[in-house]
Amino acid sequence: APNVWRSLTKAEPRYRLSDFNNASETGKFTRFICKFHTSSSDENRIELGETLSMYPFQYELAAFRKSQSDGGLLSSKGKDNSKFWTSTLLFSCPLSEEVKGLAKTTVLGEDARPLFHVDIIPIRTPPRFAKTTQTNGGYYLPKELVGSIHKGSFDPLAAWGEKHVLPPVEASGRWENLPVCPVESTIPPAAPSLLKVAAAKPHLLSACLWASAIYHTRGKDKESLSDTKDRLLEWIEFHLMVGFDHIYVYDNSADPVNNLKPITDMFSSKEVTWIDWPHVVCNNNIPAHDNTGERSSQYAAENSCRTRYAPLTEWIASFDTDEYLVPMGKHTSLRSVVEQAKDTNILSFRSSRGKLRYGASEQLHSGREKLANVTFLEAYNCDGSESPRPEWADRARKQLYRADYVPYHFVHYSTITRGLLDIPRGESNWMRYYEEPPPSQRITDELNEATMIHAKTITRGHTAGWKNRCRYDFKRKWLGCYVGLGWPNNTKSETNTYDPITELDYNCFVNPNVENYWIGRLNKALKVRKR
């Protein structure tokens, strides 16, 4: 329909693609057109202006500094696995002047429904691959951001032609009628930049959790598990004990009856917040593959939590319910750990999976399962690696980081930091590639600061055939043994390698702080909580 490509009124703005230097200020780093509207009493749509979306930081600059090759956000291969950390796109829609004027009184109607809505229209362009960009004249980023390696500005005329004017909104794909909701009084209004440092904050330590009442494991031995409620109760209780001020639970159950809210309701609203998060876990792998792909719902939940609640806390982290942070050495609280980390912005906790302890489990059919009256922390306090853990345990690390220093975190990594975005202005010889240096980012001292216990569920399927596989004289040791028997005195021996009574190999190390200090306190606290 050719008519729809023409502006309906002369007042409607139109947009032309440009290079960086000739772009308007609001159009230099943007991706969406935000079109606001409301309805009259007779349900007719009333337009309330439009704005251009804003990024909280410069994605292209971050990609440029994180890459040692082309430095682009996209590659022509299609599946940009090396750039997976950008899979969650953060942006905001500034309110139009019309909405600002009307919203001074309220944004909710008499029926408590939002008065204003926004349509989000992607600015659709051909992809800009880094190498193609250089062929067409250089980087999109200007010389003051790129430095001496600048090869000229990107030329949109050479890449896209002279008349690349975006069509009107009516001719564009879009997400329509997203409600503009009021911000909770306890949450500061979202700033255009996540880099703004908040003043006094009510919390020192906060944690984000993404969980579901029922979930499926990944891999060839995938199973459906329903132990989250028990895990969540124990996890919250323990982490409040070790110093966390507030825990935000993103509930992915998507079930009005079988969800995690009854557990979070057992705690004060000053300590725990429940967020209904029914978003689908996308599968970006081939159908019926053993690994169903990346957990997009988890990635979005983590970034939602960091964006919404980081302004309320000094330090923040994202965990699963099978990951426990344990104070070590002289510390009995994580609060003293972060308070003494004066020059550190990011604390990394290495992770290796705990084994299911023989004495904390029972025989069921051909395998073993955790005893019902034993906590998960106690049952899996049996790590195959001795502390401090080896370097390979860094691959599944989790991080506790200063909320104002890390504007973007992705599961295991502080992918964008203030250090990465803080380039030396006016200098021509600055180092392009950036990696967060110590002590700004460092591994925690597992003996004297804190460590992480990974208590991932081990089921009967994992332990099938354990009587043979865990014996001292089993020949095919490479098959592994999921049942754990701790080394006597927590010391590995070359001669005393198995228990003469059970004839099972000693194969793991028990954390003494957990065993002798925390288990008793946790059991007592859970008993009180369940009354």
Side-chain angles (χ1 to χ4, degrees):
N3 289 336
V4 85
W5 283 78
R6 303 191 184 99
S7 295
L8 300 180
T9 68
K10 292 183 179 180
E12 290 185 357
R14 296 296 299 275
Y15 303 93
R16 178 177 62 84
L17 297 181
S18 166
D19 61 4
F20 184 89
N21 292 324
N22 290 309
S24 61
E25 285 303 314
T26 57
K28 287 185 175 180
F29 295 101
T30 189
R31 190 67 184 85
F32 303 96
I33 300 169
C34 307
K35 194 173 181 68
F36 295 89
H37 59 91
T38 188
S39 297
S40 62
S41 57
D42 55 359
E43 299 298 322
N44 288 322
R45 175 171 167 136
I46 301 174
E47 302 295 340
L48 293 176
E50 59 189 65
T51 60
L52 294 177
S53 69
M54 298 175 63
Y55 290 131
F57 45 78
Q58 296 173 5
Y59 272 89
E60 293 208 56
L61 175 62
F64 182 78
R65 296 211 70 189
K66 290 176 73 69
S67 173
Q68 292 178 304
S69 55
D70 54 46
L73 279 168
L74 300 174
S75 76
S76 57
K77 296 178 181 179
K79 220 177 181 184
D80 305 298
N81 291 327
S82 63
K83 310 294 191 302
F84 68 93
W85 54 271
T86 57
S87 64
T88 302
L89 187 65
L90 303 180
F91 68 94
S92 61
C93 281
L95 295 179
S96 65
E97 293 302 320
E98 294 89 335
V99 172
K100 287 180 182 178
L102 295 171
K104 288 181 179 179
T105 54
T106 181
V107 295
L108 295 179
E110 294 181 358
D111 56 359
R113 288 191 293 182
L115 290 176
F116 310 111
H117 292 79
V118 62
D119 299 344
I120 297 179
I121 303 95
I123 299 173
R124 309 182 84 171
T125 68
R128 273 191 298 107
F129 303 128
K131 292 182 179 178
T132 304
T133 300
Q134 293 169 19
T135 302
N136 288 335
Y139 298 102
Y140 173 73
L141 297 169
K143 188 173 184 179
E144 55 264 29
L145 290 181
V146 178
S148 60
I149 60 174
H150 187 265
K151 299 180 181 179
S153 297
F154 169 67
D155 187 351
L157 301 181
W160 298 330
E162 298 182 1
K163 299 180 179 180
H164 201 118
V165 176
L166 298 181
V169 170
E170 292 76 10
S172 305
R174 57 198 178 274
W175 296 289
E176 282 193 331
N177 299 320
L178 301 179
V180 178
C181 299
V183 177
E184 298 174 32
S185 59
T186 56
I187 306 173
S193 173
L194 298 180
L195 302 179
K196 290 188 175 181
V197 179
K201 297 187 176 186
H203 304 319
L204 176 65
L205 282 170
S206 297
C208 306
L209 269 178
W210 174 84
S212 177
I214 298 175
Y215 63 100
H216 295 83
T217 59
R218 292 178 284 181
K220 293 182 179 180
D221 299 323
K222 52 182 176 289
E223 298 181 56
S224 178
L225 300 176
S226 57
D227 59 4
T228 305
K229 291 180 181 179
D230 291 334
R231 280 190 170 277
L232 182 61
L233 175 61
E234 179 183 320
W235 194 96
I236 294 175
E237 193 70 64
F238 179 79
H239 285 87
L240 291 176
M241 288 173 56
V242 298
F244 277 88
D245 297 295
H246 205 96
I247 295 166
Y248 303 94
V249 178
Y250 279 68
D251 188 349
N252 194 225
S253 301
D255 189 320
V257 178
N258 185 22
N259 57 51
L260 304 176
K261 194 172 188 299
I263 302 300
T264 59
D265 284 348
M266 296 173 69
F267 297 86
S268 166
S269 60
K270 294 180 180 180
E271 297 173 324
V272 180
T273 297
W274 177 80
I275 300 103
D276 189 21
W277 193 258
H279 306 294
V280 175
V281 178
C282 297
N283 177 1
N284 65 355
N285 219 323
I286 60 175
H289 195 278
D290 289 330
N291 188 335
T292 56
E294 305 304 334
R295 299 194 170 190
S296 57
S297 176
Q298 180 183 14
Y299 305 159
E302 179 184 17
N303 276 284
S304 169
C305 189
R306 204 231 73 88
T307 302
R308 294 172 66 182
Y309 302 115
L312 302 176
T313 188
E314 296 292 340
W315 293 77
I316 194 168
S318 291
F319 298 105
D320 299 323
T321 55
D322 57 13
E323 296 166 329
Y324 295 77
L325 292 194
V326 181
M328 295 293 290
K330 297 180 180 179
H331 297 282
T332 56
S333 171
L334 293 171
R335 303 178 74 82
S336 60
V337 174
V338 297
E339 286 168 350
Q340 294 177 23
K342 300 296 184 182
D343 299 323
T344 299
N345 297 303
I346 305 161
L347 287 169
S348 293
F349 295 80
R350 286 177 169 166
S351 175
S352 54
R353 186 175 182 176
K355 297 179 182 292
L356 177 60
R357 295 171 73 176
Y358 176 78
S361 58
E362 61 183 343
Q363 179 77 26
L364 283 175
H365 304 291
S366 62
R368 295 187 74 83
E369 284 194 354
K370 181 185 79 68
L371 289 167
N373 63 346
V374 173
T375 61
F376 292 93
L377 181 58
E378 180 179 0
Y380 293 98
N381 179 26
C382 202
D383 202 307
S385 299
E386 188 175 10
S387 291
R389 292 182 179 92
E391 189 173 339
W392 61 259
D394 201 34
R395 63 187 179 184
R397 62 188 167 185
K398 287 299 177 76
Q399 295 183 322
L400 182 61
Y401 57 91
R402 293 186 189 271
D404 290 334
Y405 189 78
V406 181
Y408 190 106
H409 194 273
F410 186 88
V411 188
H412 305 293
Y413 312 102
S414 295
T415 52
I416 296 179
T417 66
R418 283 179 172 273
L420 181 141
L421 296 173
D422 185 20
I423 62 173
R425 304 285 177 174
E427 296 184 22
S428 60
N429 61 345
W430 57 275
M431 183 72 70
R432 168 190 166 178
Y433 180 69
Y434 180 86
E435 188 172 6
E436 197 70 30
S440 179
Q441 177 175 279
R442 63 178 176 83
I443 305 296
T444 54
D445 184 336
E446 294 184 356
L447 301 178
N448 299 302
E449 286 185 314
T451 189
M452 186 167 76
I453 303 294
H454 190 183
K456 187 174 182 178
T457 296
I458 291 174
T459 65
R460 281 177 286 169
H462 290 110
T463 58
W466 69 275
K467 290 183 178 180
N468 291 324
R469 293 171 64 167
C470 301
R471 278 182 59 86
Y472 75 96
D473 55 355
F474 185 61
K475 301 300 182 184
R476 294 180 292 171
K477 298 287 188 184
W478 64 86
L479 293 177
C481 168
Y482 284 95
V483 177
L485 196 64
W487 287 96
N489 301 316
N490 242 17
T491 304
K492 191 172 183 178
S493 171
E494 297 296 328
T495 55
N496 182 23
T497 62
Y498 69 93
D499 177 46
I501 298 175
T502 62
E503 297 187 328
L504 300 179
D505 268 335
Y506 297 126
N507 57 5
C508 59
F509 300 88
V510 174
N511 185 301
N513 274 29
V514 171
E515 192 76 357
N516 303 321
Y517 186 86
W518 290 111
I519 293 299
R521 286 167 171 77
L522 177 58
N523 284 327
K524 184 178 180 179
L526 288 171
K527 186 177 180 179
V528 172
R529 183 73 60 181
K530 292 176 181 179
R531 286 177 182 171

